[in-house]
Amino acid sequence: MGLIDRLWADRSIQAIFVNGAQSVFIERGDSLHAVKEVFRDEAHLSELVARLVGRPDGGMADFQLRDGTTGFVILPPHAPSGPVLTMRRADPGRATLDKLVADGAIDRTVAELLRLGARGRLNMLVTGPQYCGKTALLVALVRDLEPSVRVVTVAGHRHFAWPMASKVELVAVAPVSIAKLIPPAAKLEPGLLVTDDVTLQDVAALAERLLRGAPGILAALGPEAMSDALTRSVDLVARIDRGSDGVFRVVTVEDSAGAMIFRHENGKLVRGTTTPAFAPSLQARGHGTTLAKLLV
């Protein structure tokens, strides 16, 4: 999308406002700023709008991009100075499992399995490239928990900031890393310990916690931080990647032995093993019947 792509590559920009070809503003933090880059003319801007929404009936339309970005366009004659466009990034802090399913980011059955894993205190990893939706999935799983579950989150952001009496939010602020916060977070005796933005430098602290055998760890990390040893130390791994339609979604779910439980392939969900290695753990916690129904 040319100019829009170049601006949108800056992740500190939350929104873009185009008030005509020669008037482009960005929202960063709580401030609005004009940018020097503008469209060549109204025809140049109209080309972009046509790619987004075509020529909508009534001269106005909502749209959504594959990364969850939402927007709105108003065309002439309602906007006599030229097309007016707004775009705002998706807010992972507001994600829910139902919304992720509706957006195609996860299949309903996979969502139910991950929900069961969180409630059954499995140790789970979510992995995928940067900006693929890992944080949104973690947020959705935490929001879905019963209020009685004690949750401690550790991240470098505030996407877990909503009020929840049983939740403790810890934020890694330089020079303190996520690795430094994992041990004190564990001392708070969480029913579910959630760690997001785990980097290669934080993996040793996460691995050490997993080796202790403590249940109820949910962590998100990039492919560069994954290893066979880490995979074997958890119950379940959900991998996110871009599908052929351009949408990021959970494409595989595996157990600690690498056995495929679910795979999203050619627009369909394919089932794998019906006896994942973590089945006895869920059965011991009273979730055996629900798991069996999911894996039929």
Side-chain angles (χ1 to χ4, degrees), residues 62-81:
D62 295 289
F63 64 89
Q64 183 170 6
L65 303 184
R66 289 170 175 170
D67 66 354
T69 295
T70 56
F72 181 64
V73 171
I74 302 180
L75 304 176
H78 309 302
S81 297

PDB file of all heavy atoms in Angstrom, residues 62-81:
ATOM      1  N   ASP A  62     -16.517   0.312   5.970  1.00  0.00           N
ATOM      2  CA  ASP A  62     -15.549  -0.208   6.930  1.00  0.00           C
ATOM      3  C   ASP A  62     -14.686  -1.257   6.227  1.00  0.00           C
ATOM      4  O   ASP A  62     -15.111  -1.864   5.247  1.00  0.00           O
ATOM      5  CB  ASP A  62     -16.265  -0.876   8.108  1.00  0.00           C
ATOM      6  CG  ASP A  62     -17.079   0.111   8.928  1.00  0.00           C
ATOM      7  OD1 ASP A  62     -16.473   0.931   9.626  1.00  0.00           O
ATOM      8  OD2 ASP A  62     -18.325   0.046   8.857  1.00  0.00           O
ATOM      9  N   PHE A  63     -13.478  -1.474   6.717  1.00  0.00           N
ATOM     10  CA  PHE A  63     -12.646  -2.554   6.188  1.00  0.00           C
ATOM     11  C   PHE A  63     -11.779  -3.115   7.295  1.00  0.00           C
ATOM     12  O   PHE A  63     -11.605  -2.490   8.357  1.00  0.00           O
ATOM     13  CB  PHE A  63     -11.779  -2.067   5.009  1.00  0.00           C
ATOM     14  CG  PHE A  63     -10.768  -1.006   5.375  1.00  0.00           C
ATOM     15  CD1 PHE A  63      -9.495  -1.355   5.811  1.00  0.00           C
ATOM     16  CD2 PHE A  63     -11.086   0.348   5.266  1.00  0.00           C
ATOM     17  CE1 PHE A  63      -8.560  -0.389   6.137  1.00  0.00           C
ATOM     18  CE2 PHE A  63     -10.160   1.329   5.581  1.00  0.00           C
ATOM     19  CZ  PHE A  63      -8.891   0.960   6.021  1.00  0.00           C
ATOM     20  N   GLN A  64     -11.238  -4.300   7.063  1.00  0.00           N
ATOM     21  CA  GLN A  64     -10.327  -4.933   8.006  1.00  0.00           C
ATOM     22  C   GLN A  64      -9.192  -5.590   7.236  1.00  0.00           C
ATOM     23  O   GLN A  64      -9.431  -6.281   6.242  1.00  0.00           O
ATOM     24  CB  GLN A  64     -11.043  -5.976   8.867  1.00  0.00           C
ATOM     25  CG  GLN A  64     -10.133  -6.600   9.927  1.00  0.00           C
ATOM     26  CD  GLN A  64     -10.905  -7.440  10.922  1.00  0.00           C
ATOM     27  OE1 GLN A  64     -12.099  -7.664  10.783  1.00  0.00           O
ATOM     28  NE2 GLN A  64     -10.230  -7.921  11.950  1.00  0.00           N
ATOM     29  N   LEU A  65      -7.950  -5.371   7.689  1.00  0.00           N
ATOM     30  CA  LEU A  65      -6.786  -5.978   7.053  1.00  0.00           C
ATOM     31  C   LEU A  65      -6.488  -7.330   7.682  1.00  0.00           C
ATOM     32  O   LEU A  65      -7.034  -7.698   8.715  1.00  0.00           O
ATOM     33  CB  LEU A  65      -5.573  -5.054   7.184  1.00  0.00           C
ATOM     34  CG  LEU A  65      -5.730  -3.638   6.619  1.00  0.00           C
ATOM     35  CD1 LEU A  65      -4.422  -2.876   6.731  1.00  0.00           C
ATOM     36  CD2 LEU A  65      -6.215  -3.676   5.176  1.00  0.00           C
ATOM     37  N   ARG A  66      -5.586  -8.082   7.061  1.00  0.00           N
ATOM     38  CA  ARG A  66      -5.296  -9.440   7.514  1.00  0.00           C
ATOM     39  C   ARG A  66      -4.631  -9.485   8.876  1.00  0.00           C
ATOM     40  O   ARG A  66      -4.682 -10.506   9.561  1.00  0.00           O
ATOM     41  CB  ARG A  66      -4.408 -10.140   6.479  1.00  0.00           C
ATOM     42  CG  ARG A  66      -5.166 -10.469   5.187  1.00  0.00           C
ATOM     43  CD  ARG A  66      -4.215 -10.934   4.108  1.00  0.00           C
ATOM     44  NE  ARG A  66      -4.943 -11.354   2.913  1.00  0.00           N
ATOM     45  CZ  ARG A  66      -4.367 -11.620   1.766  1.00  0.00           C
ATOM     46  NH1 ARG A  66      -3.047 -11.518   1.653  1.00  0.00           N
ATOM     47  NH2 ARG A  66      -5.084 -12.001   0.723  1.00  0.00           N
ATOM     48  N   ASP A  67      -3.993  -8.380   9.298  1.00  0.00           N
ATOM     49  CA  ASP A  67      -3.361  -8.365  10.614  1.00  0.00           C
ATOM     50  C   ASP A  67      -4.325  -7.914  11.701  1.00  0.00           C
ATOM     51  O   ASP A  67      -3.929  -7.728  12.851  1.00  0.00           O
ATOM     52  CB  ASP A  67      -2.113  -7.482  10.613  1.00  0.00           C
ATOM     53  CG  ASP A  67      -2.432  -6.005  10.398  1.00  0.00           C
ATOM     54  OD1 ASP A  67      -3.614  -5.671  10.131  1.00  0.00           O
ATOM     55  OD2 ASP A  67      -1.504  -5.180  10.505  1.00  0.00           O
ATOM     56  N   GLY A  68      -5.610  -7.751  11.367  1.00  0.00           N
ATOM     57  CA  GLY A  68      -6.598  -7.327  12.346  1.00  0.00           C
ATOM     58  C   GLY A  68      -6.845  -5.833  12.372  1.00  0.00           C
ATOM     59  O   GLY A  68      -7.759  -5.355  13.045  1.00  0.00           O
ATOM     60  N   THR A  69      -6.030  -5.060  11.631  1.00  0.00           N
ATOM     61  CA  THR A  69      -6.224  -3.616  11.545  1.00  0.00           C
ATOM     62  C   THR A  69      -7.629  -3.306  11.016  1.00  0.00           C
ATOM     63  O   THR A  69      -8.088  -3.925  10.065  1.00  0.00           O
ATOM     64  CB  THR A  69      -5.181  -2.996  10.601  1.00  0.00           C
ATOM     65  OG1 THR A  69      -3.885  -3.162  11.172  1.00  0.00           O
ATOM     66  CG2 THR A  69      -5.443  -1.513  10.374  1.00  0.00           C
ATOM     67  N   THR A  70      -8.293  -2.353  11.653  1.00  0.00           N
ATOM     68  CA  THR A  70      -9.612  -1.926  11.189  1.00  0.00           C
ATOM     69  C   THR A  70      -9.537  -0.510  10.634  1.00  0.00           C
ATOM     70  O   THR A  70      -8.668   0.278  11.014  1.00  0.00           O
ATOM     71  CB  THR A  70     -10.644  -1.965  12.329  1.00  0.00           C
ATOM     72  OG1 THR A  70     -10.172  -1.168  13.426  1.00  0.00           O
ATOM     73  CG2 THR A  70     -10.862  -3.393  12.807  1.00  0.00           C
ATOM     74  N   GLY A  71     -10.456  -0.177   9.726  1.00  0.00           N
ATOM     75  CA  GLY A  71     -10.435   1.149   9.120  1.00  0.00           C
ATOM     76  C   GLY A  71     -11.793   1.556   8.585  1.00  0.00           C
ATOM     77  O   GLY A  71     -12.739   0.765   8.559  1.00  0.00           O
ATOM     78  N   PHE A  72     -11.842   2.800   8.134  1.00  0.00           N
ATOM     79  CA  PHE A  72     -13.087   3.360   7.606  1.00  0.00           C
ATOM     80  C   PHE A  72     -12.737   4.382   6.533  1.00  0.00           C
ATOM     81  O   PHE A  72     -11.748   5.122   6.656  1.00  0.00           O
ATOM     82  CB  PHE A  72     -13.880   4.026   8.737  1.00  0.00           C
ATOM     83  CG  PHE A  72     -15.191   4.610   8.311  1.00  0.00           C
ATOM     84  CD1 PHE A  72     -16.210   3.798   7.837  1.00  0.00           C
ATOM     85  CD2 PHE A  72     -15.413   5.978   8.376  1.00  0.00           C
ATOM     86  CE1 PHE A  72     -17.426   4.341   7.436  1.00  0.00           C
ATOM     87  CE2 PHE A  72     -16.621   6.525   7.992  1.00  0.00           C
ATOM     88  CZ  PHE A  72     -17.630   5.700   7.518  1.00  0.00           C
ATOM     89  N   VAL A  73     -13.528   4.410   5.453  1.00  0.00           N
ATOM     90  CA  VAL A  73     -13.293   5.320   4.330  1.00  0.00           C
ATOM     91  C   VAL A  73     -14.587   6.066   4.010  1.00  0.00           C
ATOM     92  O   VAL A  73     -15.671   5.469   4.009  1.00  0.00           O
ATOM     93  CB  VAL A  73     -12.843   4.528   3.076  1.00  0.00           C
ATOM     94  CG1 VAL A  73     -12.818   5.428   1.845  1.00  0.00           C
ATOM     95  CG2 VAL A  73     -11.470   3.921   3.291  1.00  0.00           C
ATOM     96  N   ILE A  74     -14.453   7.374   3.759  1.00  0.00           N
ATOM     97  CA  ILE A  74     -15.560   8.181   3.228  1.00  0.00           C
ATOM     98  C   ILE A  74     -15.082   8.818   1.927  1.00  0.00           C
ATOM     99  O   ILE A  74     -14.010   9.429   1.885  1.00  0.00           O
ATOM    100  CB  ILE A  74     -16.003   9.277   4.214  1.00  0.00           C
ATOM    101  CG1 ILE A  74     -16.420   8.671   5.557  1.00  0.00           C
ATOM    102  CG2 ILE A  74     -17.173  10.083   3.627  1.00  0.00           C
ATOM    103  CD1 ILE A  74     -16.856   9.701   6.572  1.00  0.00           C
ATOM    104  N   LEU A  75     -15.868   8.666   0.856  1.00  0.00           N
ATOM    105  CA  LEU A  75     -15.478   9.127  -0.476  1.00  0.00           C
ATOM    106  C   LEU A  75     -16.251  10.380  -0.880  1.00  0.00           C
ATOM    107  O   LEU A  75     -17.319  10.679  -0.327  1.00  0.00           O
ATOM    108  CB  LEU A  75     -15.740   8.015  -1.494  1.00  0.00           C
ATOM    109  CG  LEU A  75     -15.070   6.663  -1.225  1.00  0.00           C
ATOM    110  CD1 LEU A  75     -15.516   5.653  -2.268  1.00  0.00           C
ATOM    111  CD2 LEU A  75     -13.563   6.797  -1.212  1.00  0.00           C
ATOM    112  N   PRO A  76     -15.714  11.115  -1.876  1.00  0.00           N
ATOM    113  CA  PRO A  76     -16.492  12.209  -2.465  1.00  0.00           C
ATOM    114  C   PRO A  76     -17.796  11.645  -3.058  1.00  0.00           C
ATOM    115  O   PRO A  76     -17.809  10.485  -3.476  1.00  0.00           O
ATOM    116  CB  PRO A  76     -15.568  12.751  -3.558  1.00  0.00           C
ATOM    117  CG  PRO A  76     -14.187  12.353  -3.110  1.00  0.00           C
ATOM    118  CD  PRO A  76     -14.367  11.016  -2.437  1.00  0.00           C
ATOM    119  N   PRO A  77     -18.892  12.367  -3.062  1.00  0.00           N
ATOM    120  CA  PRO A  77     -19.002  13.795  -2.730  1.00  0.00           C
ATOM    121  C   PRO A  77     -19.179  14.084  -1.246  1.00  0.00           C
ATOM    122  O   PRO A  77     -19.188  15.246  -0.838  1.00  0.00           O
ATOM    123  CB  PRO A  77     -20.256  14.213  -3.493  1.00  0.00           C
ATOM    124  CG  PRO A  77     -21.107  12.982  -3.468  1.00  0.00           C
ATOM    125  CD  PRO A  77     -20.152  11.823  -3.594  1.00  0.00           C
ATOM    126  N   HIS A  78     -19.309  12.991  -0.411  1.00  0.00           N
ATOM    127  CA  HIS A  78     -19.491  13.235   1.028  1.00  0.00           C
ATOM    128  C   HIS A  78     -18.249  13.885   1.634  1.00  0.00           C
ATOM    129  O   HIS A  78     -18.347  14.630   2.610  1.00  0.00           O
ATOM    130  CB  HIS A  78     -19.803  11.926   1.740  1.00  0.00           C
ATOM    131  CG  HIS A  78     -20.912  11.148   1.116  1.00  0.00           C
ATOM    132  ND1 HIS A  78     -22.180  11.653   0.942  1.00  0.00           N
ATOM    133  CD2 HIS A  78     -20.942   9.886   0.591  1.00  0.00           C
ATOM    134  CE1 HIS A  78     -22.948  10.755   0.360  1.00  0.00           C
ATOM    135  NE2 HIS A  78     -22.212   9.673   0.122  1.00  0.00           N
ATOM    136  N   ALA A  79     -17.069  13.559   1.076  1.00  0.00           N
ATOM    137  CA  ALA A  79     -15.820  14.187   1.508  1.00  0.00           C
ATOM    138  C   ALA A  79     -15.298  14.999   0.328  1.00  0.00           C
ATOM    139  O   ALA A  79     -14.532  14.489  -0.505  1.00  0.00           O
ATOM    140  CB  ALA A  79     -14.809  13.119   1.922  1.00  0.00           C
ATOM    141  N   PRO A  80     -15.730  16.247   0.195  1.00  0.00           N
ATOM    142  CA  PRO A  80     -15.441  17.023  -1.024  1.00  0.00           C
ATOM    143  C   PRO A  80     -13.961  17.298  -1.273  1.00  0.00           C
ATOM    144  O   PRO A  80     -13.568  17.569  -2.403  1.00  0.00           O
ATOM    145  CB  PRO A  80     -16.211  18.333  -0.790  1.00  0.00           C
ATOM    146  CG  PRO A  80     -16.459  18.397   0.672  1.00  0.00           C
ATOM    147  CD  PRO A  80     -16.577  17.000   1.146  1.00  0.00           C
ATOM    148  N   SER A  81     -13.125  17.198  -0.242  1.00  0.00           N
ATOM    149  CA  SER A  81     -11.692  17.460  -0.433  1.00  0.00           C
ATOM    150  C   SER A  81     -10.914  16.209  -0.832  1.00  0.00           C
ATOM    151  O   SER A  81      -9.689  16.246  -0.921  1.00  0.00           O
ATOM    152  CB  SER A  81     -11.088  18.041   0.859  1.00  0.00           C
ATOM    153  OG  SER A  81     -11.679  19.287   1.171  1.00  0.00           O
TER     154      SER A  81
END
